[in-house]
Amino acid sequence: MGLIGVVAALMLFNKPLGFVAILGILSLLGMIARNAVILIDQIEAVRAQGVAIWNAVIEAATSRFRPIMLTAISTVLGMIPIASTIFWGPMAYAIMGGLLVATLLTLLFLPALYVAWFRVKEPIPGRGPQTLALER
């Protein structure tokens, strides 16, 4: 998911995909994986509290949205000073573009993938767990 942002940023700012940009992509993989682990861990923590899976996914995504976005934005802002340099510039643009796009896609795509993977159905309003247990 991060490669979309990497390619877009490098093309937009006319930077080469060289060795240092590839180093940026490698470091970007770790940042994106960390965001995914944080989100999945939060989903599992909410589920452990006894919340239904559908509601746990929504609650985890909304509660972790701000911290994940703030860490991504702080990383992007931290790359701005080196973005104008000749040597480190492509790496900075690769990280900035990739992290912004991947973070947004992770916060939207990962909860949807979690729901699809575990075949979670949206609860029908007015029907509690007792009525679902009786229907099985």
Side-chain angles (χ1 to χ4, degrees), residues 10 13-16 20-21 78-96:
L10 291 177
F13 293 100
N14 198 25
K15 297 294 179 183
V20 287
M79 291 289 154
I80 290 175
I82 65 170
S84 61
T85 63
I86 293 173
F87 187 74
W88 297 111
M91 180 192 73
Y93 283 110
I95 291 174
M96 289 189 300

Side-chain angles (χ1 to χ4, degrees), residues 1-32 72 75-80 82-103:
M1 291 186 283
L3 287 178
I4 298 167
V6 169
V7 171
L10 291 177
M11 289 179 67
L12 182 66
F13 293 100
N14 198 25
K15 297 294 179 183
L17 180 64
F19 178 71
V20 287
I22 293 172
L23 285 177
I25 293 169
L26 292 175
S27 66
L28 181 64
L29 293 175
M31 294 178 219
I32 295 168
T75 302
V76 168
L77 292 175
M79 291 289 154
I80 290 175
I82 65 170
S84 61
T85 63
I86 293 173
F87 187 74
W88 297 111
M91 180 192 73
Y93 283 110
I95 291 174
M96 289 189 300
L99 190 59
L100 280 177
V101 171
T103 301

Side-chain angles (χ1 to χ4, degrees), residues 48-125:
Q49 295 173 356
V51 178
I53 298 175
W54 181 269
N55 296 332
V57 170
I58 293 171
E59 184 178 328
T62 55
S63 70
R64 299 312 295 169
F65 178 81
R66 182 177 292 159
I68 289 174
M69 282 303 293
L70 286 176
T71 56
I73 290 171
S74 67
T75 302
V76 168
L77 292 175
M79 291 289 154
I80 290 175
I82 65 170
S84 61
T85 63
I86 293 173
F87 187 74
W88 297 111
M91 180 192 73
Y93 283 110
I95 291 174
M96 289 189 300
L99 190 59
L100 280 177
V101 171
T103 301
L104 289 174
L105 288 177
T106 298
L107 288 169
L108 295 173
F109 178 71
L110 190 65
L113 182 64
Y114 188 93
V115 166
W117 182 264
F118 291 108
R119 295 189 176 120
V120 178
K121 302 225 185 301
E122 183 177 5
I124 300 170

